[in-house]
Amino acid sequence: MSSILNSAISKVQNAQHAFCRFITANDTGKNGSHQAGFYIPKCAAPLLFDKPGVKGENKDKLVKVKWQDDFLTDSRFIYYGQGTRNEYRITRFGKSFPFFEEDNVGDLLIIAQQSDDFYQGFVLQTDQDIDDFLAFFNLSPEKTNQLIDITQSISTEERLNTEIQNIVSSYSSFPETKQMAQLARNLYNRIHNITDTEICSNPDLQILKWIDTEYSLFRGFEEKIYSAVYNRPFKNCQELIQFSNAILNRRKSRAGKSLEHHLATIFTSARLQFEEQAITEDNKKPDFLFPSGEAYHNIQFPTDKLIFLGAKTTCKDRWRQVLNEANRIETKYLFTLQQGISKNQLSEMKHEHLKLVVPAAYKTSFDKEFQPEIETLASFITIVKSTQ
């Protein structure tokens, strides 16, 4: 772990309140927004004020924020309640504040309250640091943009929680990743009466709900299986570090693989022809080829009916990894849960003929100029169907 990541985790663990969200094009002003500072949703108001704002009144609070363990800003927390406004913001960062640049779109903003008027702020900029932070607190991408549950208590509805505990109690070890993903889907679908028709009508929503349910299920398994270990003293610091790394590595590995499993289920529900991990040039194994690996290797099969899709939970740095995984296909698609990527990166992607596919709810986190070129999961499915 980087020193900044370690510090961010430590400060969040000891915070009175903590919050994280992805920096968007709106924050940097690249969407033409004239709003100042970082927007904070109402659900995270306790981070800023002891009592929520009252409609019809403005209120503010001056605080000091130490960023990256390096420099301070004299910032302002403000609730705008007058007129038509009803929102919270953090403002006053100074002209030299380094995190409102184009390249910061897609970075993870973290705010941790240490006292009434002193806060720690961090901006994580690499996929590795972002993944490690989310894994440490077992956060799904859908659980950002709100207060961090430092206790990691399961916050799903009571019935879902009961069902999760019932599943966990019947296992003595972690299920395989594919089975874990299936358990989560079946559980969510059963409780919410989700059918294949509903999956196909709103795949963008369903995949986020499945991922969130799986995080809660996985957390239940962790509590059961690891409790016997962390409730006893560790022999030394190295043993503690090895145990912690084992937990984090399992979390990250599961998150990436489960995304592919959920996508495959959606494609099956949509009755698409596809193949996972088909072998292409140089023994590369793309996440998804439509309609199949056999069609890809058939030189007489029309190239314009071949579609490639990679899948990565975050792709701020990793998107280039998919560029050479299927040489016959010029335009490649990449599904990601990343919320926002810099304009420079998006320009590079366009130059390399790479198109992003994101859940519909995440599309507005990208620069307005590029939003028309970004596909949702539903629109991507429509594209595939048009070739089949």
Coordinates of all heavy atoms in Angstrom, one line a residue, residues 271-305:
R271 N -30.5 -13.2 -24.0 CA -30.4 -14.2 -25.1 C -29.4 -13.8 -26.1 O -29.6 -13.9 -27.3 CB -31.7 -14.4 -25.7 CG -32.7 -15.0 -24.7 CD -34.1 -15.3 -25.3 NE -35.0 -15.9 -24.3 CZ -36.3 -16.3 -24.6 NH1 -36.7 -16.1 -25.8 NH2 -37.0 -16.7 -23.6
L272 N -28.2 -13.3 -25.7 CA -27.1 -13.0 -26.6 C -26.3 -14.2 -26.8 O -26.1 -15.0 -25.8 CB -26.3 -11.8 -26.0 CG -27.0 -10.5 -25.7 CD1 -26.0 -9.5 -25.2 CD2 -27.7 -10.0 -27.0
Q273 N -25.7 -14.3 -27.9 CA -24.6 -15.3 -28.2 C -23.3 -14.7 -27.8 O -22.9 -13.7 -28.3 CB -24.6 -15.7 -29.6 CG -26.0 -16.3 -30.1 CD -25.9 -16.6 -31.6 OE1 -25.0 -17.2 -32.1 NE2 -26.9 -16.1 -32.3
F274 N -22.6 -15.4 -26.9 CA -21.3 -14.9 -26.5 C -20.4 -16.0 -25.9 O -20.9 -17.1 -25.6 CB -21.5 -13.8 -25.4 CG -22.0 -14.3 -24.1 CD1 -21.1 -14.6 -23.0 CD2 -23.4 -14.4 -23.9 CE1 -21.6 -15.1 -21.8 CE2 -23.9 -14.9 -22.6 CZ -23.0 -15.2 -21.6
E275 N -19.2 -15.8 -25.7 CA -18.2 -16.7 -25.1 C -17.3 -16.0 -24.2 O -16.8 -14.9 -24.6 CB -17.4 -17.5 -26.2 CG -16.6 -18.6 -25.6 CD -15.9 -19.4 -26.7 OE1 -16.3 -19.3 -27.9 OE2 -14.9 -20.1 -26.3
E276 N -17.1 -16.5 -23.1 CA -16.2 -15.9 -22.1 C -14.8 -16.6 -22.2 O -14.6 -17.8 -22.4 CB -16.7 -16.2 -20.7 CG -18.0 -15.6 -20.4 CD -18.5 -15.9 -19.0 OE1 -17.9 -15.4 -18.0 OE2 -19.4 -16.7 -18.8
Q277 N -13.8 -15.7 -22.1 CA -12.4 -16.2 -22.0 C -12.0 -17.0 -23.3 O -11.2 -18.0 -23.2 CB -12.1 -17.0 -20.8 CG -12.4 -16.2 -19.5 CD -11.5 -15.1 -19.2 OE1 -10.3 -15.2 -19.3 NE2 -12.0 -13.9 -18.9
A278 N -12.5 -16.7 -24.4 CA -12.1 -17.4 -25.7 C -10.7 -16.9 -26.0 O -10.3 -15.8 -25.7 CB -13.0 -17.0 -26.8
I279 N -9.9 -17.9 -26.5 CA -8.5 -17.6 -26.8 C -8.3 -16.9 -28.1 O -8.9 -17.3 -29.2 CB -7.7 -18.9 -26.8 CG1 -7.7 -19.5 -25.4 CG2 -6.2 -18.6 -27.2 CD1 -7.0 -20.9 -25.3
T280 N -7.6 -15.8 -28.1 CA -7.3 -15.0 -29.4 C -5.8 -15.0 -29.6 O -5.1 -16.0 -29.2 CB -7.8 -13.6 -29.3 OG1 -7.2 -12.9 -28.2 CG2 -9.4 -13.6 -29.1
E281 N -5.3 -14.0 -30.3 CA -3.9 -14.0 -30.6 C -3.0 -14.0 -29.3 O -3.4 -13.4 -28.3 CB -3.5 -12.7 -31.4 CG -4.3 -12.6 -32.7 CD -5.7 -12.0 -32.6 OE1 -6.1 -11.6 -31.4 OE2 -6.3 -11.8 -33.6
D282 N -1.8 -14.7 -29.5 CA -0.8 -14.7 -28.4 C -1.4 -15.2 -27.1 O -1.1 -14.8 -26.0 CB -0.2 -13.3 -28.1 CG 0.5 -12.8 -29.4 OD1 1.1 -13.6 -30.1 OD2 0.3 -11.6 -29.6
N283 N -2.4 -16.1 -27.2 CA -3.0 -16.8 -26.1 C -3.7 -15.8 -25.2 O -3.9 -16.1 -24.0 CB -2.0 -17.6 -25.3 CG -2.6 -18.8 -24.6 OD1 -3.5 -19.4 -25.1 ND2 -2.1 -19.1 -23.4
K284 N -4.2 -14.7 -25.7 CA -5.0 -13.7 -24.9 C -6.4 -14.2 -24.7 O -6.9 -15.0 -25.5 CB -5.0 -12.3 -25.7 CG -3.7 -11.7 -25.8 CD -3.1 -11.2 -24.5 CE -1.7 -10.6 -24.7 NZ -1.7 -9.4 -25.5
K285 N -7.0 -13.8 -23.6 CA -8.3 -14.3 -23.3 C -9.2 -13.2 -23.0 O -9.4 -12.8 -21.8 CB -8.2 -15.3 -22.1 CG -7.5 -16.6 -22.4 CD -7.4 -17.5 -21.2 CE -6.7 -18.8 -21.5 NZ -6.6 -19.7 -20.3
P286 N -9.9 -12.6 -23.9 CA -10.8 -11.5 -23.7 C -12.0 -12.0 -22.8 O -12.3 -13.1 -22.8 CB -11.4 -11.2 -25.1 CG -10.4 -11.8 -26.0 CD -9.8 -13.0 -25.4
D287 N -12.5 -11.0 -22.0 CA -13.6 -11.4 -21.1 C -14.8 -11.9 -21.8 O -15.4 -12.9 -21.4 CB -13.9 -10.1 -20.2 CG -12.8 -9.7 -19.3 OD1 -12.1 -10.7 -18.8 OD2 -12.5 -8.5 -19.1
F288 N -15.2 -11.2 -22.9 CA -16.4 -11.6 -23.7 C -16.1 -11.3 -25.2 O -15.6 -10.3 -25.6 CB -17.6 -10.8 -23.2 CG -18.0 -11.0 -21.8 CD1 -17.6 -10.1 -20.8 CD2 -18.8 -12.0 -21.5 CE1 -18.0 -10.3 -19.5 CE2 -19.2 -12.2 -20.1 CZ -18.8 -11.3 -19.2
L289 N -16.4 -12.3 -25.9 CA -16.5 -12.2 -27.4 C -17.9 -12.5 -27.9 O -18.5 -13.5 -27.4 CB -15.5 -13.2 -28.1 CG -14.0 -12.7 -28.2 CD1 -13.2 -13.8 -28.9 CD2 -13.9 -11.4 -29.0
F290 N -18.4 -11.7 -28.7 CA -19.8 -11.9 -29.3 C -19.6 -12.2 -30.8 O -18.9 -11.3 -31.5 CB -20.7 -10.7 -29.1 CG -20.8 -10.3 -27.6 CD1 -19.9 -9.5 -27.0 CD2 -21.9 -10.7 -26.9 CE1 -20.0 -9.2 -25.7 CE2 -22.1 -10.4 -25.6 CZ -21.1 -9.6 -25.0
P291 N -20.1 -13.2 -31.4 CA -20.9 -14.3 -30.8 C -20.1 -15.4 -30.2 O -20.6 -16.1 -29.3 CB -21.7 -14.8 -32.0 CG -20.8 -14.6 -33.2 CD -20.0 -13.4 -32.9
S292 N -18.8 -15.6 -30.6 CA -18.0 -16.8 -30.1 C -16.6 -16.7 -30.5 O -16.2 -15.9 -31.5 CB -18.6 -18.1 -30.6 OG -18.5 -18.2 -32.0
G293 N -15.8 -17.5 -29.9 CA -14.4 -17.6 -30.3 C -14.3 -18.3 -31.6 O -13.4 -17.9 -32.4
E294 N -15.1 -19.2 -31.9 CA -15.1 -19.9 -33.2 C -15.4 -18.9 -34.3 O -14.7 -18.9 -35.4 CB -16.1 -21.0 -33.2 CG -16.2 -21.8 -34.5 CD -17.3 -22.9 -34.5 OE1 -17.9 -23.0 -33.5 OE2 -17.4 -23.5 -35.6
A295 N -16.3 -18.0 -34.1 CA -16.6 -17.0 -35.2 C -15.4 -16.1 -35.3 O -15.1 -15.7 -36.5 CB -17.9 -16.2 -34.8
Y296 N -14.8 -15.8 -34.2 CA -13.6 -14.9 -34.3 C -12.5 -15.5 -35.2 O -11.9 -14.7 -35.9 CB -13.1 -14.6 -32.9 CG -11.9 -13.6 -32.9 CD1 -12.1 -12.2 -32.9 CD2 -10.6 -14.1 -32.8 CE1 -11.0 -11.4 -32.9 CE2 -9.5 -13.2 -32.8 CZ -9.8 -11.9 -32.8 OH -8.7 -11.0 -32.8
H297 N -12.3 -16.7 -35.0 CA -11.2 -17.4 -35.7 C -11.6 -17.8 -37.2 O -10.7 -18.2 -37.9 CB -10.7 -18.6 -35.0 CG -10.0 -18.3 -33.7 ND1 -8.7 -17.7 -33.7 CD2 -10.3 -18.3 -32.4 CE1 -8.3 -17.4 -32.5 NE2 -9.3 -17.9 -31.7
N298 N -12.9 -17.7 -37.5 CA -13.3 -18.0 -38.9 C -13.1 -16.7 -39.7 O -13.9 -15.8 -39.6 CB -14.8 -18.4 -38.8 CG -15.3 -18.7 -40.2 OD1 -14.6 -18.6 -41.2 ND2 -16.6 -19.0 -40.3
I299 N -12.1 -16.7 -40.5 CA -11.7 -15.5 -41.3 C -12.9 -15.1 -42.2 O -12.9 -13.9 -42.7 CB -10.4 -15.8 -42.1 CG1 -9.8 -14.5 -42.5 CG2 -10.7 -16.7 -43.3 CD1 -9.3 -13.7 -41.3
Q300 N -13.8 -16.0 -42.5 CA -14.9 -15.6 -43.4 C -16.1 -15.0 -42.6 O -17.0 -14.5 -43.3 CB -15.4 -16.9 -44.2 CG -14.4 -17.5 -45.1 CD -14.9 -18.7 -45.9 OE1 -15.8 -19.3 -45.5 NE2 -14.3 -18.9 -47.1
F301 N -16.0 -15.1 -41.3 CA -17.1 -14.5 -40.5 C -16.9 -12.9 -40.6 O -15.8 -12.4 -40.4 CB -17.0 -14.9 -39.1 CG -18.3 -14.5 -38.3 CD1 -19.4 -15.3 -38.3 CD2 -18.3 -13.4 -37.5 CE1 -20.5 -15.0 -37.5 CE2 -19.4 -13.0 -36.8 CZ -20.5 -13.8 -36.8
P302 N -18.0 -12.2 -40.9 CA -17.9 -10.7 -41.0 C -17.3 -10.0 -39.8 O -17.8 -10.2 -38.7 CB -19.3 -10.3 -41.3 CG -20.0 -11.5 -41.8 CD -19.4 -12.7 -41.1
T303 N -16.3 -9.3 -40.0 CA -15.7 -8.6 -38.9 C -16.6 -7.6 -38.2 O -16.6 -7.4 -36.9 CB -14.4 -7.8 -39.3 OG1 -13.5 -8.7 -40.0 CG2 -13.7 -7.1 -38.2
D304 N -17.5 -7.0 -38.9 CA -18.4 -6.0 -38.4 C -19.5 -6.7 -37.5 O -20.3 -6.0 -36.8 CB -19.1 -5.2 -39.4 CG -19.9 -6.0 -40.4 OD1 -20.0 -7.2 -40.3 OD2 -20.5 -5.3 -41.3
K305 N -19.5 -8.0 -37.4 CA -20.5 -8.7 -36.6 C -19.8 -9.3 -35.3 O -20.4 -10.0 -34.5 CB -21.2 -9.8 -37.3 CG -22.2 -9.2 -38.4 CD -23.0 -10.3 -39.0 CE -24.0 -9.8 -40.1 NZ -24.9 -8.8 -39.5

